[in-house]
Amino acid sequence: MRAASARWRDGFRLSFAHRFVIFSVALVALSVSAINAIHYYGSVDRLVENESSRLSARLTRVNDRIADRIDTLGRDVSYLAQSPEVRNLANAITSHDPTAEGAAALNGARDGVADIFNRFLVQYPYYFQTRFIGVADNGREVVRLAREGGVVSRTPDIELQQKGDREYVARPLTLNEGELYFSEINLNREHGVISRPLVSVVRIATPIFDASGTLAGVVVVNMDMNAVLNSLAGDPGASRQLFIARERGDFIVHP
């Protein structure tokens, strides 16, 4: 009987020892797993934080580049609007002089604006179109120069278009002198049809008044945004693909 009792106590001690060892091993394993999980999720949090910082920095660069280019466009359009050639054309338009002398003065003023528009486009290759659009005849273009195939040329009178229904004409006509209108970025159109090759364009316009304060028209400049947007998409510091969309959801930059 004593032998059986001793064997039972020894078996109990052994069984308890085994359970204790197993419990201890399990506790260590859980502790190690918990530590690993903490390190893992801590690493994930750091990775997410680092990636968020990189993306934020990239978006800041994108925003700054676009803002700088738009600010430059605003200054350049203001320069054109204040030029003596543009002011002279405004005075010639609103004079409504039906005489031959008046017609000659108007044509001379148009030539003067065409000359400064030409020099402007030659000097700044990221602009591809400049226009003086009058108030009369449903906003018909008075002077238009455009860059096509790397060549700047003046549009013949017979090809000048009515643009009074376009927002970039109608809106600026309601502004005060010196105020600027910026369009959204969209595709360039000619005669109501999207032009080929595709050109992403932003337009800026400002109203033009004559010496007496009478509204004569607007100056509109088109900037080719393709190079700017392509440079953003190909940012050498980028580790992710860049998408830029308008509020309504259509993309203007995508891989």
Side-chain angles (χ1 to χ4, degrees), residues 179-228:
E179 293 182 330
L180 299 170
Y181 163 82
F182 292 87
S183 76
E184 65 177 10
I185 299 174
N186 52 35
L187 294 176
N188 190 55
R189 292 175 178 266
E190 294 298 341
H191 301 283
V193 179
I194 294 176
S195 58
R196 301 283 177 168
L198 299 178
V199 179
S200 297
V201 58
V202 62
R203 300 171 185 87
I204 183 171
T206 189
I208 304 299
F209 298 84
D210 70 4
S212 67
T214 300
L215 182 62
V218 297
V219 164
V220 183
V221 175
N222 292 15
M223 173 184 279
D224 182 352
M225 293 296 290
N226 279 359
V228 177

Side-chain angles (χ1 to χ4, degrees), residues 148-162:
E148 295 181 8
V151 178
V152 176
S153 60
R154 180 176 177 178
T155 302
D157 289 355
I158 195 172
E159 297 180 17
L160 296 176
Q161 304 171 51
Q162 293 176 320

